[in-house]
Amino acid sequence: MEMDKLVSLCKRRGVLFQSSEIYGGLNGFWDYGPLGVELKRNIKEAWWRDMVTGHDDIEAPPGAPEAYEMCGLDCTIIMHPQVWKVSGHYDLFVDKMVDCTESKKRYRYDQVPGRWVEAKGQKVFVTTLAEANHAQEIEARALKFFNLRAKDAADLAWQGGLVSLAKIDPAEYVKVLAPEAKALGTLTAPRDFNLMFKTIVGALGTEEDAAFLRPETAQGIFVNFKNVLDSSRVRVPFGIAQMGKSFRNEITPRNFTFRSREFEQMEIEFFCHPNSSLQWYQYWRDRRFRWYTEMGLSGERLQLREHHQDELSHYSRGTADIEYAFPFLPAGEFGELEGVAHRGDFDLRSHMEGKLDPNSKPDLKVELGEDGKPKWKGSGKDLTYRDDITNERYTPHVIEPSAGADRATLAFLCEAYHEDQAPDDKGEMQTRVVMKLHPRIAPIKAAVFPLVKKDGMPEVAQKIYRELKKRWNVFYDEKGAVGRRYRRQDEAGTPFCITVDGQSLQDQTVTIRDRDTLKQWRVKVEEVSAELAERLK
Ligand code: GAP
């Protein structure tokens, strides 16, 4: 599937719009249109239902070490600034950026691929911003830089493969051809860039009133751990889920909504006994992977990538990414949909004791400032757990399945896009675009049409529409040829179309058409609702 086709469908059919488009748009911000908002809501509701409200607290699900409880939270976007100091985001939530003095552009240095090449006695690292066909784009830039023609491509002596700018020693930046520059050596040395959006709370407007928009929803859960324990009857093991907006001032937002500056997360912090934390990690990793396949992502484009031991923080006993082969990525590459991390007791201990040094070995130590005092103080509150049966007191370990609602929406959209052949109103085969969304997440569950706008057909169709509307988001359409109405619903991903025709007036039956198989069958009017309920399961 070509990404351009999906992007254009999203705009044309009201799935996604560039934010503030009439003013030229704002990079990294996206609005969901009438169809998009339903799709994303359905995805979030499916997640909440499957992970929280529909979860059976009494019986252990397959693969879980034992039964566990789940509950939810909805925390504020702006929290006490100390939260971000203690969590490490204030000091460490940074990306390295480089500035180009020629193009005046700023880049995340690990997102600028390039390759060393030598010609005419000069060695240059040629970079590109192309999202695919890197090799082709780099060759074209190298030919231009060395003033060579395409037929002289053999004069370019390539050295090594494609590497990111992050792997290049800044002392060699004089030999770098920046992505949008004509001259060499226009990049500044890499600098830290904190991704948190800053704001001011209150009317005084001083630096002391500075606060941050949350870059993840997770911290709201940690700081409410004690509140949840004290106010509900949950016992470890249990999980707290939260979904909501997060904000990151990404240096290079790109790939449609994949890397946005404002996005939604769906996160779970699962609290368990340290002795069983590895089993719980394995359970959540597999459970979350399965969720995407149950919702319709195919095995081929979805993968679970376990991080290597040397990629893990020393307190973590495992991290896995659930990844999807988005069509805008080069062939064979995958993009992260969700991370499942074993976080040990790092977060709860930090909020108790103060900012911990994630690199200290063998145990986490409170990080000290230059004055020898704790760098950022914790809450001082007791965030340990006492098991009322065994009387054991301990700091629970945390497993964190952290998903992105917008990335999931994008993956479901990419997976759903299909083109096939279907007969038009004259019975001639035409290419049709069909979004094969799982019925649970389809924005419109069914469309109801009268075949023609006369003979009492609209009245029957409207009655069915009103009946179905009590349970689902259904759509009524009587405009234009029926074939065109089917096509519009195929593009919207509507699983079923119900048509009232001449026969309906004789025998009180209607046709139901299946979006994917194009099969049609007749059902009694009074059975339409039950039939739909069965098929939408
Ligand atoms: N609490 C852990 C955490 O936030 P993360 O890997 O930084 O981990 C989790 O983010 C998920 O949030 C990602 O897997 C992705 O789905 C989503 N996400 C992160 N940054 C994003 C961005 N700039 N745009 C859209 N989604 C993003």
Side-chain angles (χ1 to χ4, degrees):
M1 194 264 294
E2 293 139 52
M3 201 57 203
D4 292 354
K5 289 187 176 173
L6 180 67
V7 173
S8 114
L9 180 135
C10 284
K11 167 117 206 282
R12 187 160 38 84
R13 295 308 313 272
V15 179
L16 278 156
F17 307 125
Q18 170 98 64
S19 163
S20 322
E21 197 185 77
I22 61 167
Y23 290 102
L26 189 61
N27 199 9
F29 296 88
W30 296 92
D31 294 336
Y32 284 81
L35 279 184
V37 65
E38 294 300 331
L39 173 64
K40 188 167 148 187
R41 276 175 59 110
N42 291 343
I43 291 168
K44 290 191 297 178
E45 271 168 30
W47 179 82
W48 193 262
R49 173 93 201 129
D50 294 348
M51 298 299 121
V52 187
T53 48
H55 167 72
D56 180 346
D57 288 346
I58 304 162
E59 200 179 326
E66 59 183 296
Y68 64 90
E69 292 172 80
M70 288 296 297
C71 57
L73 262 186
D74 185 15
C75 308
T76 59
I77 284 169
I78 296 177
M79 298 166 72
H80 195 293
Q82 196 69 8
V83 169
W84 307 112
K85 290 176 178 165
V86 166
S87 69
H89 286 83
Y90 187 80
D91 294 320
L92 302 172
F93 195 55
V94 290
D95 275 338
K96 293 271 187 208
M97 58 167 191
V98 290
D99 287 308
C100 176
T101 51
E102 185 183 316
S103 68
K104 309 286 180 236
K105 294 277 176 61
R106 177 166 287 178
Y107 310 104
R108 223 177 99 168
Y109 81 158
D110 59 345
Q111 286 178 354
V112 178
R115 211 174 157 195
W116 284 108
V117 63
E118 197 169 336
K120 299 185 176 176
Q122 193 181 9
K123 191 175 151 192
V124 173
F125 185 73
V126 182
T127 65
T128 176
L129 282 186
E131 278 157 16
N133 300 330
H134 295 120
Q136 245 172 299
E137 165 76 9
I138 289 175
E139 184 180 278
R141 294 200 74 215
L143 288 170
K144 197 160 180 201
F145 176 80
F146 287 111
N147 212 1
L148 292 169
R149 282 178 294 182
K151 66 177 178 58
D152 304 322
D155 293 351
L156 296 171
W158 297 100
Q159 297 178 3
L162 200 68
V163 287
S164 95
L165 186 63
K167 302 271 181 233
I168 307 300
D169 182 347
E172 300 223 80
Y173 278 11
V174 284
K175 299 181 198 155
V176 171
L177 182 64
E180 290 155 286
K182 292 198 181 90
L184 291 184
T186 58
L187 292 178
T188 61
R191 280 188 293 143
D192 283 348
F193 176 79
N194 195 299
L195 298 185
M196 283 197 295
F197 279 99
K198 206 173 184 181
T199 186
I200 299 287
V201 176
L204 290 180
T206 64
E207 226 2 69
E208 265 124 72
D209 303 316
F212 304 93
L213 306 193
R214 67 180 176 199
E216 61 170 27
T217 60
Q219 296 304 320
I221 301 179
F222 295 126
V223 301
N224 276 295
F225 171 71
K226 199 80 185 151
N227 281 337
V228 173
L229 267 188
D230 293 347
S231 61
S232 56
R233 298 177 60 189
V234 286
R235 303 184 69 250
V236 169
F238 73 97
I240 306 179
Q242 168 163 225
M243 54 192 184
K245 290 266 173 146
S246 291
F247 300 81
R248 298 183 188 178
N249 199 0
E250 299 283 356
I251 300 171
T252 42
R254 60 170 150 171
N255 290 333
F256 211 10
T257 57
F258 182 82
R259 192 176 305 287
S260 309
R261 288 176 166 145
E262 176 175 340
F263 55 95
E264 267 185 275
Q265 289 186 308
M266 309 186 290
E267 297 200 288
I268 296 171
E269 303 304 325
F270 186 81
F271 302 94
C272 59
H273 192 284
N275 292 348
S276 52
S277 59
L278 193 56
Q279 284 153 282
W280 281 113
Y281 162 69
Q282 286 157 350
Y283 164 73
W284 277 108
R285 185 196 60 189
D286 299 342
R287 175 73 195 95
R288 291 300 307 147
F289 183 80
R290 221 172 43 244
W291 187 79
Y292 290 98
T293 59
E294 287 161 3
M295 298 296 290
L297 294 192
S298 76
E300 232 169 276
R301 281 184 287 268
L302 194 69
Q303 73 171 19
L304 188 69
R305 188 179 66 83
E306 194 75 55
H307 286 209
H308 292 295
Q309 217 52 34
D310 54 6
E311 282 180 86
L312 300 177
S313 333
H314 91 272
Y315 58 82
S316 174
R317 294 172 69 189
T319 294
D321 287 342
I322 300 168
E323 300 179 328
Y324 184 73
F326 287 96
F328 48 76
L329 297 172
E333 279 188 26
F334 287 73
E336 181 186 324
L337 270 184
E338 170 161 352
V340 182
H342 182 303
R343 299 191 53 87
D345 61 4
F346 179 78
D347 306 276
L348 287 178
R349 272 196 54 207
S350 300
H351 286 298
M352 265 193 295
E353 298 169 18
K355 182 168 179 268
L356 300 176
D357 178 355
N359 300 313
S360 69
K361 290 179 187 163
D363 199 5
L364 302 169
K365 304 239 166 44
V366 173
E367 211 177 277
L368 303 179
E370 277 166 19
D371 57 2
K373 295 192 179 139
K375 186 158 180 201
W376 304 112
K377 277 209 261 174
S379 65
K381 300 278 186 295
D382 180 5
L383 302 182
T384 58
Y385 172 78
R386 190 180 66 82
D387 187 311
D388 55 8
I389 297 173
T390 63
N391 239 344
E392 186 189 3
R393 185 172 281 286
Y394 58 90
T395 309
H397 276 202
V398 168
I399 312 302
E400 180 191 64
S402 172
D406 305 87
R407 281 204 194 160
T409 306
L410 185 57
F412 288 125
L413 282 168
C414 293
E415 184 79 16
Y417 187 98
H418 284 82
E419 287 179 9
D420 63 14
Q421 297 292 312
D424 65 8
D425 281 309
K426 294 183 200 128
E428 284 168 22
M429 295 306 266
Q430 302 282 354
T431 301
R432 81 166 176 154
V433 173
V434 51
M435 296 297 285
K436 294 191 176 174
L437 292 163
H438 190 292
R440 266 185 95 185
I441 59 172
I444 301 169
K445 305 299 181 205
V448 188
F449 310 147
L451 185 64
V452 287
K453 227 163 64 178
K454 56 182 187 188
D455 302 336
M457 289 184 211
E459 288 74 11
V460 178
Q462 283 170 20
K463 200 161 167 242
I464 297 172
Y465 161 79
R466 288 200 189 96
E467 191 53 36
L468 299 181
K469 195 81 181 164
K470 290 180 195 159
R471 298 177 72 178
W472 301 287
N473 187 27
V474 291
F475 187 78
Y476 177 77
D477 190 2
E478 57 180 26
K479 291 187 216 97
V482 76
R484 291 202 43 216
R485 284 181 261 162
Y486 284 144
R487 290 288 188 286
R488 282 188 63 77
Q489 293 308 314
D490 289 342
E491 276 195 343
T494 307
F496 302 104
C497 289
I498 297 152
T499 306
V500 174
D501 54 16
Q503 193 179 327
S504 309
L505 307 174
Q506 314 295 322
D507 65 4
Q508 284 75 51
T509 62
V510 292
T511 62
I512 301 188
R513 170 190 181 264
D514 180 300
R515 175 196 69 195
D516 300 343
T517 61
L518 294 174
K519 285 207 179 104
Q520 300 201 19
W521 64 99
R522 295 198 82 87
V523 171
K524 284 236 169 279
V525 169
E526 71 262 24
E527 286 165 13
V528 170
S529 185
E531 171 95 11
L532 209 56
E534 186 56 32
R535 294 194 179 254
L536 286 172
K537 257 190 201 161

